[in-house]
Amino acid sequence: MSEPSVSEPDFAASQLPQLPGGILRVATYNIHKGVQGLGPARRLEIHNLGLAIEQLDADIVCLQEVRSSNRREAAYFDRWPLVPQAQYLAPEGYEAVYHTNAYTRHGEHGNALLTRWPVLESRHEDMSDHRFEQRGLLHACVQVQGTVVHTIVVHLGLVPGSRIRQVAQLQRYIRREVPEDAPLVVAGDFNDWGNQLSQMLAGFGLLEHGGGSPVFTYPSRLPVARLDHVYARGLVPLSLTVPRGRIWWRMSDHLPLIAEFRL
């Protein structure tokens, strides 16, 4: 994969992609740090993930568990990418934005956003609720056909009480940083096995497509739950889809979720 520029691109209006029928396609994907399996049986999937993300053909891709560096894995795998994973995974012509959530003994990982549209600015807020889990949100302002779409990538905690407090923090952040009339997308791994968080998010205007058959993303081999979500405010939800098959469940313990909205 080619390495994208992380500075604001200088595009002419005629060079920007056009949204077919005003449709915005957003994907969220927990990539499990680009590695599957345990111990000596673990395998490097980052190269397959790069091809897969390109095939999603999304305007905005929200990623969780993205490694910026890991010295142990880089020494173990012969084909470990020479650039951070967010840059490696960005398709040609996409911009990559990344911010670390967690620092570990061997490296660091966090959330990333890849987009074919210009990123005007980005910021990060720590969402850690206790010392055993390092969590954060990544907020990027993406200019889509002259409209600024605020996009927030999250990966919430494993403890139910933590998730409730993190959603409350998310609400405070949105009130502080996102204009009420601005289109907003919040996507990521919510680690929620019920609908309590969905009800909380709906309480401050964040909704998700609710029609059709249930769409499950976890665990990828035999999905029985949807831990991954794409919520929006100021956009019309149109559809939710999940790619399936062996090639997908081998790459991560989550399947990607693809949402379409009308601007």
Side-chain angles (χ1 to χ4, degrees):
M1 305 297 289
S2 59
E3 181 177 349
S5 169
V6 293
S7 60
E8 183 177 344
D10 184 19
F11 287 141
S14 60
Q15 294 177 293
L16 292 172
Q18 296 299 303
L19 290 174
I23 304 300
L24 179 68
R25 195 174 214 212
V26 180
T28 184
Y29 199 2
N30 182 327
I31 67 165
H32 201 257
K33 306 181 183 73
V35 175
Q36 278 288 281
L38 298 172
R42 69 187 188 278
R43 62 185 185 275
L44 185 62
E45 289 290 340
I46 195 69
H47 307 287
N48 291 328
L49 284 162
L51 297 173
I53 286 171
E54 189 170 11
Q55 292 301 309
L56 295 178
D57 192 30
D59 298 287
I60 299 172
V61 183
C62 303
L63 302 175
Q64 305 85 50
E65 294 195 24
V66 181
R67 277 179 166 143
S68 173
S69 64
N70 188 279
R71 292 176 295 277
R72 181 182 61 185
E73 299 290 48
Y76 182 83
F77 291 109
D78 292 336
R79 299 179 61 224
W80 189 263
L82 298 178
V83 297
Q85 288 183 348
Q87 295 183 28
Y88 181 82
L89 291 173
E92 184 175 358
Y94 279 57
E95 185 171 358
V97 180
Y98 166 86
H99 202 288
T100 294
N101 290 339
Y103 296 89
T104 65
R105 178 181 176 185
H106 299 288
E108 55 191 89
H109 62 270
N111 297 328
L113 179 144
L114 315 177
T115 179
R116 56 164 56 107
W117 296 90
V119 176
L120 302 180
E121 61 176 316
S122 64
R123 62 195 73 164
H124 171 267
E125 178 159 303
D126 181 40
M127 298 186 78
S128 303
D129 186 64
H130 53 81
R131 66 188 182 92
F132 299 106
E133 288 186 286
Q134 301 173 70
R135 304 288 180 175
L137 67 78
L138 172 64
H139 175 199
C141 298
V142 183
Q143 188 170 18
V144 181
Q145 286 189 350
T147 298
V148 177
V149 178
H150 291 255
T151 306
I152 297 176
V153 189
V154 300
H155 187 187
L156 301 188
L158 297 173
V159 179
S162 292
R163 294 194 294 271
I164 293 172
R165 289 185 289 272
Q166 286 164 342
V167 169
Q169 180 181 353
L170 173 65
Q171 181 179 17
R172 294 191 298 271
Y173 180 89
I174 290 170
R175 285 175 175 168
R176 186 177 74 241
E177 301 292 345
V178 182
E180 290 187 6
D181 59 348
L184 169 64
V185 172
V186 178
D189 179 357
F190 286 76
N191 269 317
D192 184 28
W193 292 79
N195 61 1
Q196 184 176 17
L197 299 188
S198 295
Q199 294 174 352
M200 291 179 64
L201 292 164
F204 53 100
L206 282 163
L207 303 173
E208 191 170 36
H209 181 72
S213 303
V215 178
F216 299 138
T217 60
Y218 183 87
S220 56
R221 185 185 290 262
L222 186 63
V224 295
R226 177 145 59 94
L227 307 186
D228 309 275
H229 296 269
V230 183
Y231 297 96
R233 186 182 75 187
L235 300 168
V236 180
L238 297 177
S239 67
L240 282 175
T241 56
V242 173
R244 300 191 184 280
R246 185 174 186 271
I247 190 172
W248 291 101
W249 59 250
R250 279 182 58 84
M251 289 186 288
S252 173
D253 58 343
H254 289 245
L255 295 171
L257 178 69
I258 306 163
E260 290 190 336
F261 303 92
R262 188 176 302 280
L263 283 172

